[in-house]
Amino acid sequence: MLAERPDLSGLYNHIRDELDRVEESLKMLSSSANPLIAEISRYLFQKKGKRIRPALLILCSKLLRYRGDDHIFMAALIEFIHTASLIHDDIIDNADRRRGRDSVHTRWGPNISVLLGDYLYIKSIGLSLESDYPGVVRILTDVSSRMIDGELTEYSLSGHLDTAEPDYLEVINKKTASLFAAACQIGAVLGEATPEQERLLVDYGRNLGLTFQMIDDLLDFQGDEDELGKPVLSDLSEGRITLPLIYALRTGRPANRRRLQALMRKKAQSRESRKEILEIIRGNGALDYTYRKAEGFSLRARGLVSLFPDSAHREALSLLAEFVLIRSR
Ligand code: FPP
Ligand code: MG
């Protein structure tokens, strides 16, 4: 029986061997005769992330009783794309920490980091061409362009205080939820899903991804820096307009809204300004609103997966949707 409050190790239990093989695969596929690629890849893959995307791909394939071996390789490709996107994202966001350590650009500088991100990304696409599933190449290239589209839209909306909730949803759908959906879709393709099953799993992944990113944005306001292993209040300092701020700017008392606008328009925010913004947002109920929205997406994800026959893998997918909602890291 899994614990009431799901943790990742509990819900990964019955795919533990497979996830260990993904780790080996990541190390093997990223090994290189080039000393810089080898060194940075070791740095990247020696410390495990949450591996949610590989787990999703594996669980979706197994939900459909997939019995082959290609899910390990495909899971590694998805994690390569995720890792590449984080290397680039940390440069764009000026984030100096990731997973409790220096981000790649802090240690190696932006020039090398851009190239390393490009390398991992193109390596993933190249390797996918070697698989027996031509449809997977299309899924990986489509998701990559969607992520870049989302990241660019987010960047161009930075500092725009008139950003609306649908703009925000579009950004997080593209930059984050699309990769969750792609992981589920590849699992579905491996498991020879019917078009309806594939649609349900893609939709499940999308709702899970939306939950994940909303909680990520919530944790940026109220998370613990050490537990998260990355900076907090960083969206504010980079002018990123996420849901708590959008809500407070839309629904706050007029005086608070004016104050928020004035604080956000400052070029460089002081610690005190960020604290004041946080207090206004807390007082306004914007954090609760964001959590409730995320909960709605998590419930939708669980509803979608409940349409599959009962199994341990279905249970794990359902718990994963709960985990991404209540996580603190
Ligand atoms: C993290 O968001 C960033 C993403 C989910 C996507 C980043 C995508 C790109 C940089 C496009 C390039 C893509 C490829 C395939 C190379 P966040 O900044 O809100 O989360 P964080 O707090 O973890 O940094
Ligand atoms: Mg970031």
Side-chain angles (χ1 to χ4, degrees), residues 122-139:
I122 208 65
K123 182 97 188 164
S124 171
I125 303 296
L127 286 166
S128 73
L129 287 165
E130 290 169 18
S131 87
D132 296 331
Y133 296 87
V136 168
V137 187
R138 170 54 66 192
I139 296 172

PDB file of all heavy atoms in Angstrom, residues 122-139:
ATOM      1  N   ILE A 122      20.132  18.043 -30.060  1.00  0.00           N
ATOM      2  CA  ILE A 122      20.246  17.458 -31.404  1.00  0.00           C
ATOM      3  C   ILE A 122      20.623  15.983 -31.325  1.00  0.00           C
ATOM      4  O   ILE A 122      20.252  15.172 -32.168  1.00  0.00           O
ATOM      5  CB  ILE A 122      21.213  18.283 -32.298  1.00  0.00           C
ATOM      6  CG1 ILE A 122      20.826  18.146 -33.769  1.00  0.00           C
ATOM      7  CG2 ILE A 122      22.658  17.955 -32.061  1.00  0.00           C
ATOM      8  CD1 ILE A 122      19.483  18.720 -34.123  1.00  0.00           C
ATOM      9  N   LYS A 123      21.334  15.626 -30.243  1.00  0.00           N
ATOM     10  CA  LYS A 123      21.680  14.215 -30.013  1.00  0.00           C
ATOM     11  C   LYS A 123      20.383  13.405 -29.845  1.00  0.00           C
ATOM     12  O   LYS A 123      20.239  12.305 -30.372  1.00  0.00           O
ATOM     13  CB  LYS A 123      22.526  14.139 -28.730  1.00  0.00           C
ATOM     14  CG  LYS A 123      23.008  12.782 -28.373  1.00  0.00           C
ATOM     15  CD  LYS A 123      24.412  12.567 -28.862  1.00  0.00           C
ATOM     16  CE  LYS A 123      24.806  11.124 -28.649  1.00  0.00           C
ATOM     17  NZ  LYS A 123      25.973  10.728 -29.406  1.00  0.00           N
ATOM     18  N   SER A 124      19.458  13.978 -29.098  1.00  0.00           N
ATOM     19  CA  SER A 124      18.188  13.301 -28.857  1.00  0.00           C
ATOM     20  C   SER A 124      17.443  13.065 -30.175  1.00  0.00           C
ATOM     21  O   SER A 124      16.948  11.960 -30.449  1.00  0.00           O
ATOM     22  CB  SER A 124      17.345  14.150 -27.895  1.00  0.00           C
ATOM     23  OG  SER A 124      16.067  13.643 -27.791  1.00  0.00           O
ATOM     24  N   ILE A 125      17.392  14.098 -31.007  1.00  0.00           N
ATOM     25  CA  ILE A 125      16.693  13.955 -32.299  1.00  0.00           C
ATOM     26  C   ILE A 125      17.433  12.935 -33.169  1.00  0.00           C
ATOM     27  O   ILE A 125      16.816  12.061 -33.789  1.00  0.00           O
ATOM     28  CB  ILE A 125      16.600  15.322 -33.025  1.00  0.00           C
ATOM     29  CG1 ILE A 125      15.904  16.369 -32.150  1.00  0.00           C
ATOM     30  CG2 ILE A 125      15.899  15.167 -34.384  1.00  0.00           C
ATOM     31  CD1 ILE A 125      14.462  16.098 -31.817  1.00  0.00           C
ATOM     32  N   GLY A 126      18.746  13.038 -33.194  1.00  0.00           N
ATOM     33  CA  GLY A 126      19.532  12.106 -34.015  1.00  0.00           C
ATOM     34  C   GLY A 126      19.324  10.661 -33.582  1.00  0.00           C
ATOM     35  O   GLY A 126      19.122   9.773 -34.423  1.00  0.00           O
ATOM     36  N   LEU A 127      19.340  10.443 -32.281  1.00  0.00           N
ATOM     37  CA  LEU A 127      19.149   9.068 -31.785  1.00  0.00           C
ATOM     38  C   LEU A 127      17.753   8.548 -32.113  1.00  0.00           C
ATOM     39  O   LEU A 127      17.571   7.359 -32.397  1.00  0.00           O
ATOM     40  CB  LEU A 127      19.388   9.018 -30.268  1.00  0.00           C
ATOM     41  CG  LEU A 127      20.860   9.113 -29.828  1.00  0.00           C
ATOM     42  CD1 LEU A 127      20.959   9.409 -28.334  1.00  0.00           C
ATOM     43  CD2 LEU A 127      21.613   7.823 -30.155  1.00  0.00           C
ATOM     44  N   SER A 128      16.771   9.465 -32.085  1.00  0.00           N
ATOM     45  CA  SER A 128      15.399   9.014 -32.357  1.00  0.00           C
ATOM     46  C   SER A 128      15.264   8.501 -33.791  1.00  0.00           C
ATOM     47  O   SER A 128      14.416   7.663 -34.088  1.00  0.00           O
ATOM     48  CB  SER A 128      14.388  10.136 -32.083  1.00  0.00           C
ATOM     49  OG  SER A 128      14.458  11.129 -33.083  1.00  0.00           O
ATOM     50  N   LEU A 129      16.127   9.004 -34.689  1.00  0.00           N
ATOM     51  CA  LEU A 129      16.090   8.539 -36.081  1.00  0.00           C
ATOM     52  C   LEU A 129      16.508   7.075 -36.197  1.00  0.00           C
ATOM     53  O   LEU A 129      16.209   6.417 -37.182  1.00  0.00           O
ATOM     54  CB  LEU A 129      17.024   9.402 -36.946  1.00  0.00           C
ATOM     55  CG  LEU A 129      16.543  10.818 -37.245  1.00  0.00           C
ATOM     56  CD1 LEU A 129      17.679  11.677 -37.766  1.00  0.00           C
ATOM     57  CD2 LEU A 129      15.404  10.781 -38.255  1.00  0.00           C
ATOM     58  N   GLU A 130      17.229   6.602 -35.157  1.00  0.00           N
ATOM     59  CA  GLU A 130      17.688   5.209 -35.202  1.00  0.00           C
ATOM     60  C   GLU A 130      16.623   4.233 -34.694  1.00  0.00           C
ATOM     61  O   GLU A 130      16.820   3.032 -34.728  1.00  0.00           O
ATOM     62  CB  GLU A 130      18.937   5.039 -34.327  1.00  0.00           C
ATOM     63  CG  GLU A 130      20.160   5.719 -34.911  1.00  0.00           C
ATOM     64  CD  GLU A 130      21.316   5.780 -33.921  1.00  0.00           C
ATOM     65  OE1 GLU A 130      21.298   5.016 -32.930  1.00  0.00           O
ATOM     66  OE2 GLU A 130      22.212   6.608 -34.136  1.00  0.00           O
ATOM     67  N   SER A 131      15.533   4.760 -34.150  1.00  0.00           N
ATOM     68  CA  SER A 131      14.532   3.859 -33.576  1.00  0.00           C
ATOM     69  C   SER A 131      13.609   3.310 -34.670  1.00  0.00           C
ATOM     70  O   SER A 131      13.607   3.792 -35.793  1.00  0.00           O
ATOM     71  CB  SER A 131      13.698   4.586 -32.513  1.00  0.00           C
ATOM     72  OG  SER A 131      12.618   5.242 -33.117  1.00  0.00           O
ATOM     73  N   ASP A 132      12.836   2.302 -34.298  1.00  0.00           N
ATOM     74  CA  ASP A 132      11.898   1.712 -35.260  1.00  0.00           C
ATOM     75  C   ASP A 132      10.577   2.472 -35.314  1.00  0.00           C
ATOM     76  O   ASP A 132       9.596   1.985 -35.860  1.00  0.00           O
ATOM     77  CB  ASP A 132      11.582   0.258 -34.862  1.00  0.00           C
ATOM     78  CG  ASP A 132      12.826  -0.607 -34.928  1.00  0.00           C
ATOM     79  OD1 ASP A 132      13.702  -0.283 -35.747  1.00  0.00           O
ATOM     80  OD2 ASP A 132      12.909  -1.582 -34.145  1.00  0.00           O
ATOM     81  N   TYR A 133      10.535   3.641 -34.672  1.00  0.00           N
ATOM     82  CA  TYR A 133       9.275   4.389 -34.578  1.00  0.00           C
ATOM     83  C   TYR A 133       9.438   5.773 -35.214  1.00  0.00           C
ATOM     84  O   TYR A 133       9.774   6.745 -34.524  1.00  0.00           O
ATOM     85  CB  TYR A 133       8.861   4.542 -33.108  1.00  0.00           C
ATOM     86  CG  TYR A 133       8.553   3.241 -32.428  1.00  0.00           C
ATOM     87  CD1 TYR A 133       9.576   2.499 -31.826  1.00  0.00           C
ATOM     88  CD2 TYR A 133       7.257   2.741 -32.389  1.00  0.00           C
ATOM     89  CE1 TYR A 133       9.306   1.284 -31.200  1.00  0.00           C
ATOM     90  CE2 TYR A 133       6.985   1.544 -31.765  1.00  0.00           C
ATOM     91  CZ  TYR A 133       8.005   0.822 -31.177  1.00  0.00           C
ATOM     92  OH  TYR A 133       7.732  -0.356 -30.561  1.00  0.00           O
ATOM     93  N   PRO A 134       9.212   5.885 -36.544  1.00  0.00           N
ATOM     94  CA  PRO A 134       9.413   7.179 -37.206  1.00  0.00           C
ATOM     95  C   PRO A 134       8.513   8.281 -36.622  1.00  0.00           C
ATOM     96  O   PRO A 134       8.888   9.458 -36.606  1.00  0.00           O
ATOM     97  CB  PRO A 134       9.065   6.900 -38.674  1.00  0.00           C
ATOM     98  CG  PRO A 134       8.395   5.566 -38.714  1.00  0.00           C
ATOM     99  CD  PRO A 134       8.781   4.820 -37.472  1.00  0.00           C
ATOM    100  N   GLY A 135       7.345   7.880 -36.090  1.00  0.00           N
ATOM    101  CA  GLY A 135       6.430   8.882 -35.523  1.00  0.00           C
ATOM    102  C   GLY A 135       7.047   9.604 -34.335  1.00  0.00           C
ATOM    103  O   GLY A 135       6.693  10.754 -34.043  1.00  0.00           O
ATOM    104  N   VAL A 136       7.985   8.951 -33.657  1.00  0.00           N
ATOM    105  CA  VAL A 136       8.586   9.560 -32.465  1.00  0.00           C
ATOM    106  C   VAL A 136       9.450  10.767 -32.842  1.00  0.00           C
ATOM    107  O   VAL A 136       9.492  11.768 -32.116  1.00  0.00           O
ATOM    108  CB  VAL A 136       9.410   8.501 -31.677  1.00  0.00           C
ATOM    109  CG1 VAL A 136      10.280   9.151 -30.617  1.00  0.00           C
ATOM    110  CG2 VAL A 136       8.458   7.491 -31.041  1.00  0.00           C
ATOM    111  N   VAL A 137      10.102  10.699 -34.002  1.00  0.00           N
ATOM    112  CA  VAL A 137      10.935  11.836 -34.436  1.00  0.00           C
ATOM    113  C   VAL A 137      10.039  13.074 -34.582  1.00  0.00           C
ATOM    114  O   VAL A 137      10.373  14.167 -34.121  1.00  0.00           O
ATOM    115  CB  VAL A 137      11.635  11.537 -35.787  1.00  0.00           C
ATOM    116  CG1 VAL A 137      12.613  12.648 -36.135  1.00  0.00           C
ATOM    117  CG2 VAL A 137      12.346  10.189 -35.745  1.00  0.00           C
ATOM    118  N   ARG A 138       8.897  12.878 -35.200  1.00  0.00           N
ATOM    119  CA  ARG A 138       7.947  13.980 -35.394  1.00  0.00           C
ATOM    120  C   ARG A 138       7.474  14.524 -34.037  1.00  0.00           C
ATOM    121  O   ARG A 138       7.404  15.734 -33.830  1.00  0.00           O
ATOM    122  CB  ARG A 138       6.777  13.467 -36.260  1.00  0.00           C
ATOM    123  CG  ARG A 138       5.593  14.357 -36.395  1.00  0.00           C
ATOM    124  CD  ARG A 138       5.886  15.747 -36.875  1.00  0.00           C
ATOM    125  NE  ARG A 138       6.373  15.812 -38.232  1.00  0.00           N
ATOM    126  CZ  ARG A 138       6.923  16.910 -38.789  1.00  0.00           C
ATOM    127  NH1 ARG A 138       7.039  18.021 -38.086  1.00  0.00           N
ATOM    128  NH2 ARG A 138       7.341  16.895 -40.031  1.00  0.00           N
ATOM    129  N   ILE A 139       7.181  13.618 -33.098  1.00  0.00           N
ATOM    130  CA  ILE A 139       6.717  14.078 -31.770  1.00  0.00           C
ATOM    131  C   ILE A 139       7.817  14.938 -31.116  1.00  0.00           C
ATOM    132  O   ILE A 139       7.556  16.008 -30.570  1.00  0.00           O
ATOM    133  CB  ILE A 139       6.347  12.873 -30.858  1.00  0.00           C
ATOM    134  CG1 ILE A 139       5.158  12.100 -31.440  1.00  0.00           C
ATOM    135  CG2 ILE A 139       6.052  13.338 -29.427  1.00  0.00           C
ATOM    136  CD1 ILE A 139       4.845  10.780 -30.720  1.00  0.00           C
TER     137      ILE A 139
END
